[in-house]
Amino acid sequence: MTLGGTDLNLLLFLRVLLEEGNVTRAGARLEVGQPAMSAALAKLRRRFDDELLVRAGRDYELTPFARDLLPEVQRAVRLIARALELEDHFDAATSERTFRLAMSDYAIAVLHEPLVRLLRATAPGVRLSIERIGPKARTSSRTLLEYDALVAPLGFGFPGQRRMLWRDRMVLIADRRHPRLAGGGLTLADLAELPHAVATFGPGILTPVDRVFGEHGIDRRIVLQVPGFLPLAFVIEGTEMLAVVPERLARLHLAPGGPITVIEPPFGEVLLAEGYWYGRDRLADPAHRWLFARFDALAAELKVTPGSR
């Protein structure tokens, strides 16, 4: 179908190219080969007299014109679909689409089993590609273009829209044979005196644990830093170091009676809220709406109301 000499099929190519910001991912989403996507992009560049996508390092970014054009294209596609009574549909049962996610090791530990189980039951051909959140995720405008969703703590300043997934509370872990545990627990004075292993998440990031130690005037004696929560249980075994980790992670990976024990913290309840983040433009795609509905179902399974703040 053409309108004013323009092939309207290119409109769908244009929407997906601008939403994905990447020729390869746009082709995978439309189930079209790289040569066809490149040819469509060349036609669109001539049509608009604009590059639309330009190289930025190893990836692409939208030109200013393309960023302004995207919401208009999304609206046009929706109106045409409505006028032609076309069904906006994603068939999860037959799709072989790959969704790219970014999250921490902690989030992978909590989500991977229920998420894989849910997808296997409803979308056996759908695949996941999960990467760790990079240090520039909070500040890069590319983050929510590169990934279909980002799982990260709420309150850390990531761009885009967000919905709650679960809450967790922070607990202490230590070697079960730690000499200070003879009395059954630890005091704030113990926390000030003993060495600590801590998780780091990038420069300038303060965690709820950092804040609570500051509120109690405790300057931790940090002797070891590791990237993320997951390695902490392995590095403190056989030492006098303490570490603070989310309770879900501790309960999932520490065997009862094993060398590492969970200790009730003397600093009271410190909560960590984890959610998923996505670009607003993703809601125009039925596949993304389906994916986000799966996340909301997981939130319910993890005992948190979807969309709560």
Side-chain angles (χ1 to χ4, degrees), residues 5-26:
T6 299
D7 182 356
L8 290 185
N9 289 320
L10 284 176
L11 191 62
L12 182 58
F13 280 76
L14 176 61
R15 186 191 78 171
V16 175
L17 277 165
L18 299 187
E19 286 177 349
E20 295 296 333
N22 181 283
V23 175
T24 301
R25 291 198 297 272

Side-chain angles (χ1 to χ4, degrees), residues 27 74 222 271:
Q74 290 171 326
I222 297 172
L271 295 178

